[in-house]
Amino acid sequence: MIQLRTMVKSADNTGAKKLQVIRVHGGYRKRYAQLGDIVTLAVKEAIPHSGVKKGDVVKGVVVRTRKEVRRPDGSYIRFDDNAVVLIDAKKEMRGTRIFGPVARELRNLGYQKVISLAPEVL
């Protein structure tokens, strides 16, 4: 359950390391983000000389959550951390690599590039 002020990790190579959620998109009553949801983030830590810097406001899509998600077959998927991949205004990735596993649920939501670059899809 990712909500306002949740600290998340970046799962791509844009240069952001730690980010804080400042908005969950999807309506004014949407409180929690889950796999595949778009969130607005503030960069809290970044590596030097990268595409993003501390204080930038960016958008990202949630690719891993610690809160389990139920699948149609009755199984559950849960990850060790909360992670996002930074996207631009056209919902395309800003980075060129993905680190760590991502959830299969992203395939149905139109994030084919994220799925294809991920080292593992669970």
Side-chain angles (χ1 to χ4, degrees), residues 52-66:
V52 296
K53 60 183 186 295
K54 183 178 174 182
D56 283 354
V57 175
V58 294
K59 285 188 179 178
V61 61
V62 178
V63 296
R64 293 195 294 265
T65 59
R66 289 190 54 125

Side-chain angles (χ1 to χ4, degrees), residues 1-3 6-13 16-19 21 32-39 41 60-69 71 77-86 97-106 109 111 114-115 117-122:
M1 290 171 50
I2 296 175
Q3 61 184 348
T6 300
M7 298 299 284
V8 295
K9 290 169 60 174
S10 176
D12 59 13
N13 66 341
K17 290 173 81 176
K18 219 184 253 188
L19 304 117
V21 176
Y32 305 112
Q34 52 192 350
L35 292 173
D37 284 348
I38 296 175
V39 292
L41 307 146
V61 61
V62 178
V63 296
R64 293 195 294 265
T65 59
R66 289 190 54 125
K67 178 66 179 169
E68 67 275 354
V69 175
R71 290 189 166 161
I77 182 77
R78 178 174 55 209
F79 296 95
D80 290 337
D81 62 351
N82 296 317
V84 298
V85 169
L86 300 188
R97 293 180 63 199
I98 300 286
F99 303 115
V102 298
R104 186 176 293 119
E105 282 79 0
L106 296 173
L109 299 170
Y111 296 104
V114 175
I115 294 288
L117 290 175
E120 191 175 6
V121 179
L122 299 178

